[in-house]
Amino acid sequence: MAERAGVRAVLLAGGEGRRMGPLGTGRLKPLVPYGGVCRLIDFSLANARASGLGEVLLLSQYEERRLMDDLHQVWNRDTGFRVHFGPYDDAYRAAEGGLPRELPERTWPAERGTADALIRKAGHVFGGGREQVLVLHADHVYRFDYGPLVAEHRASGAALTIAYQRIERRWVHLFGMVRFDGAGRLTEFVEKPAEPTSDLVFAAFCVFDAAVLHRYLEKLDGTDWQHDISRDVIPAMLAGGEDIRGHRVVGHWADIGTVERYHRAHLMLAAAGPRAGLPVERMPRTVRPEVDRGWVADSPGVVASLVPADLVNEGRVEHSVLFPGVTVGADARVRRSVLLPGATVRPGQVIESAVVLENGHVQRVEDPAAVTEGTRT
């Protein structure tokens, strides 16, 4: 990305995954496996690397050490790209290829929201002469080149440029609704509106003028606010008359906020196979990358499913997505389901419309025929 100089990319990854039910229990939401090949957080990191950004600053809130250890081992092996860990980064750099035994003692308050994370680590966000701050989230499934977004933002001179997408209006209430005037300036931003008046939604990544963002964060800090970019910062900037523009996202984009959306997104992937809007081949491969995967349309024991080369299958698998290390026992049946790495289906067991965890726990999910809400292909 020719325009990367002066841009600080930050990745907000603070979720506990409470709405994911057992799928999120004991697991950081950003590390929830996805698509048979990766984890949710890997999409934003892969996008940043492909966009020519050499570094992304992690702003995490929940079990930071666990998340940083994982990302350091998976992503910081690439000499052309790395995840920066803010006040902990020196310790990880000193550990070289390993993990630090100890981390510096925390001397700053715990962040209470996405915007609060930017304040508490402001020195790492705004230092070094940064002119723009590119804000990313860790639970969205999409591939996107951030270069044109940053270039358009710079050319317009706007205070903020937000990515947006058009979806079916019946699903807008789940997202941040946006409206623009004829000149492309933001005129309305409503988080999860009860009665949507637009079919455009905030795609949850955006680029700020660094000085403007810093000013609004300082203005909000200490007030009665929700410490959130969508609920506080963007509305405050809009009310303050700032020039906010939109950049349309074309192609597949999905917000994986609940286990129902997680399951439905995989059903759509299985239904489309290699013709999916975001095919498996374009997803980052971070979960057992050495294992080949492939779509099987119709063969003995497997119908229209994504299966790994190491699958042990003595049953029948239909319209499902399987991660590496899965075993399906004799006479078992798996249909319209997601099987996580190492999951085992017992002989004779019937799995229908479910997510099977690594320990064999079966999380059943409502399986309506409707297309996944908030997913565009």
Side-chain angles (χ1 to χ4, degrees):
M1 185 172 78
E3 301 290 340
R4 69 183 181 182
V7 178
R8 168 53 107 186
V10 301
L11 178 59
L12 303 174
E16 295 182 50
R18 293 179 181 177
R19 292 188 297 163
M20 303 294 276
L23 176 59
T25 301
R27 187 199 316 271
L28 302 179
K29 184 181 179 184
L31 299 182
V32 168
Y34 189 87
V37 293
C38 62
R39 298 86 52 84
L40 291 177
I41 196 170
D42 296 323
F43 287 97
S44 290
L45 292 172
N47 289 340
R49 181 176 63 184
S51 298
L53 291 165
E55 184 177 85
V56 172
L57 172 65
L58 178 72
L59 298 180
S60 56
Q61 299 167 261
Y62 179 68
E63 291 198 29
E64 287 180 301
R65 176 66 195 256
R66 189 171 157 200
L67 181 58
M68 291 188 296
D69 282 356
D70 180 282
L71 296 182
H72 184 65
Q73 292 176 306
V74 173
W75 283 95
N76 287 357
R77 299 181 185 278
D78 184 344
T79 57
F81 178 84
R82 75 183 309 274
V83 183
H84 190 288
F85 301 123
Y88 303 116
D89 200 62
D90 287 344
Y92 280 92
R93 287 181 182 272
E96 298 179 345
L99 296 174
R101 296 183 60 183
E102 296 182 355
L103 295 180
E105 183 178 353
R106 188 184 186 101
T107 58
W108 59 95
E111 297 87 10
R112 287 173 284 176
T114 56
D116 206 39
L118 293 164
I119 295 175
R120 303 309 165 205
K121 298 187 175 98
H124 298 281
V125 176
F126 301 103
R130 304 294 182 178
E131 298 174 355
Q132 289 85 32
V133 177
L134 174 65
V135 176
L136 311 173
H137 286 76
D139 54 1
H140 299 99
V141 173
Y142 68 112
R143 292 309 304 267
F144 188 82
D145 181 357
Y146 301 126
L149 167 65
V150 173
E152 183 178 300
H153 171 80
R154 286 177 164 174
S156 71
L160 166 64
T161 301
I162 65 173
Y164 71 91
Q165 189 168 68
R166 189 181 304 276
I167 68 172
E168 292 182 61
R169 186 168 293 192
R170 61 178 173 150
W171 304 124
V172 172
H173 71 280
L174 299 169
F175 305 96
M177 184 193 75
V178 297
R179 293 173 68 93
F180 300 92
D181 64 18
R185 290 182 173 85
L186 184 70
T187 59
E188 186 177 4
F189 188 105
V190 183
E191 183 69 8
K192 296 181 172 58
E195 297 182 6
T197 57
S198 167
D199 60 357
L200 304 180
V201 298
F202 178 38
F205 60 96
C206 55
V207 56
F208 289 88
D209 176 276
V212 174
L213 174 60
H214 199 185
R215 184 171 73 249
Y216 275 88
L217 290 173
E218 289 182 327
K219 181 179 179 181
L220 289 166
D221 193 22
T223 66
D224 183 18
W225 64 312
Q226 299 177 68
H227 308 269
D228 190 84
I229 288 175
S230 295
R231 291 182 172 86
D232 301 291
V233 179
I234 296 177
M237 291 179 64
L238 185 59
E242 301 293 346
D243 184 2
I244 304 176
R245 307 293 181 97
H247 182 94
R248 186 175 180 182
V249 176
V250 178
H252 185 97
W253 174 84
D255 178 351
I256 307 299
T258 65
V259 69
E260 289 78 16
R261 293 213 289 271
Y262 176 86
H263 179 250
R264 293 175 200 170
H266 282 86
L267 294 188
M268 289 184 65
L269 183 62
R275 300 181 302 279
L278 179 57
V280 170
E281 292 72 24
R282 293 196 63 224
M283 296 182 187
R285 184 167 291 197
T286 56
V287 175
R288 301 189 191 178
E290 72 283 357
V291 179
D292 289 335
R293 281 84 160 172
W295 288 104
V296 177
D298 191 1
S299 69
V302 180
V303 175
S305 296
L306 176 69
V307 298
D310 65 353
L311 170 66
V312 177
N313 179 27
E314 297 180 348
R316 185 168 178 81
V317 177
E318 303 176 7
H319 307 287
S320 297
V321 173
L322 280 59
F323 281 81
V326 165
T327 298
V328 179
D331 299 320
R333 181 176 179 181
V334 175
R335 184 172 183 272
R336 296 174 69 80
S337 295
V338 184
L339 275 60
L340 299 192
T344 297
V345 178
R346 300 188 306 275
Q349 188 175 11
V350 176
I351 304 296
E352 176 87 23
S353 300
V355 177
V356 182
L357 308 187
E358 295 91 337
N359 62 3
H361 176 90
V362 178
Q363 184 173 359
R364 302 196 182 280
V365 185
E366 182 182 354
D367 183 11
V371 173
T372 303
E373 66 268 27
T375 302
R376 296 284 293 175
T377 301

